[in-house]
């Protein structure tokens, strides 16, 4: 299947499961059912309330399941601000403007960009180590979202040795941190 279709569908499936999410599921099922059938079945089984609670518990309360990809490489450091600004510049160079409430490293935003612009696919590849860490964390939690991330990673070129080693280092050490004013 065309990676752009997978990434567009995954962008929707990784957004908060509100009413719009549920209204769009038939379109996702029609366009990309084979890649997302396990997730779609689990989402239907859980239903709106339970899937929303799982989303919050997974993506908002678990640091290892962060959907903001620069967090894996930059943590909560000043360097992350620089990385976010650099991402915004890359979006603008491609003719994209983000909405004011969107951070450029939010995975659904990156996936939509990748679905519509080859520069977005390059950005996904640059964050491959973070994607692998997220996939590992979702698998460990047995989250339905592991199926969505698995499809995203499968649509990318195979992970190289350098990214695999970087993911292992990040998994062992966690995201970077910095002391500010003597506090960490």
């Amino acid at each position: 299947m065309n990676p752009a279709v997978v990434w567009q569908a995954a962008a929707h499936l990784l957004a908060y499961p509100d009413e719009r999410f549920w209204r769009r599921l038939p379109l996702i099922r029609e366009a990309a059912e084979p890649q997302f059938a396990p997730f779609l079945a689990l989402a239907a089984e859980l239903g709106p309330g339970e899937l929303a609670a799982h989303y919050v518990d997974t993506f908002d309360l678990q640091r290892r399941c962060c959907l903001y990809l620069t967090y894996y490489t930059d943590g909560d450091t000043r360097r992350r601000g620089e990385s976010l600004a650099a991402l915004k510049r890359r979006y603008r160079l491609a003719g994209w403007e983000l909405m004011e409430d969107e951070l450029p490293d939010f995975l659904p935003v990156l996936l939509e960009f990748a679905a519509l612009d080859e520069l977005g696919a390059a950005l996904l590849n640059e964050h491959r180590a973070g994607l692998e860490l997220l996939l590992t964390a979702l698998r460990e939690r047995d989250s339905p979202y592991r199926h969505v991330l698995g499809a995203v990673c499968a649509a990318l070129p195979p992970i190289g040795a350098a990214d695999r080693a970087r993911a292992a280092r990040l998994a062992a050490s966690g995201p970077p941190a910095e002391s500010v004013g003597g506090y960490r």
Side-chain angles (χ1 to χ4, degrees), residues 8-167:
Q8 185 68 51
H12 171 71
L13 295 175
L14 289 170
Y16 180 78
D18 56 11
E19 284 183 29
R20 189 171 70 165
F21 170 94
W22 292 98
R23 281 195 313 266
R24 288 186 178 171
L25 278 187
L27 295 172
I28 302 293
R29 196 170 277 115
E30 184 178 318
E33 170 103 36
Q35 279 69 29
F36 299 105
F39 174 81
L40 294 170
L42 288 166
E45 184 180 310
L46 291 172
E50 202 171 334
L51 185 62
H54 177 78
Y55 185 96
V56 169
D57 182 53
T58 300
F59 296 121
D60 294 345
L61 302 178
Q62 303 296 319
R63 288 175 37 155
R64 294 189 62 222
C65 296
C66 185
L67 289 174
Y68 296 91
L69 294 182
T70 60
Y71 177 76
Y72 294 101
T73 54
D74 298 325
D76 286 324
T77 65
R78 286 175 280 231
R79 188 175 69 204
R80 183 162 181 237
E82 295 167 10
S83 294
L84 293 173
L87 276 173
K88 280 187 176 183
R89 283 192 297 276
R90 290 176 77 179
Y91 283 117
R92 279 192 205 109
L93 284 172
W96 285 62
E97 280 296 323
L98 297 176
M99 295 174 60
E100 284 188 31
D101 63 341
E102 293 179 323
L103 287 176
D105 67 337
F106 186 50
L107 183 53
V109 171
L110 276 167
L111 287 166
E112 284 205 29
F113 185 47
L116 300 171
D117 193 300
E118 63 187 34
L119 293 174
L123 284 174
L124 286 176
N125 277 317
E126 289 174 25
H127 290 278
R128 187 59 188 263
L131 289 170
E132 292 296 326
L133 284 174
L134 177 56
L135 179 57
T136 298
L138 292 172
R139 284 178 175 156
E140 288 172 358
R141 291 180 55 79
D142 200 30
S143 170
Y145 290 99
R146 72 190 183 278
H147 300 293
V148 178
L149 249 291
V152 167
C153 290
L156 289 167
I159 186 168
D163 281 329
R164 192 174 308 283
R166 198 165 97 188

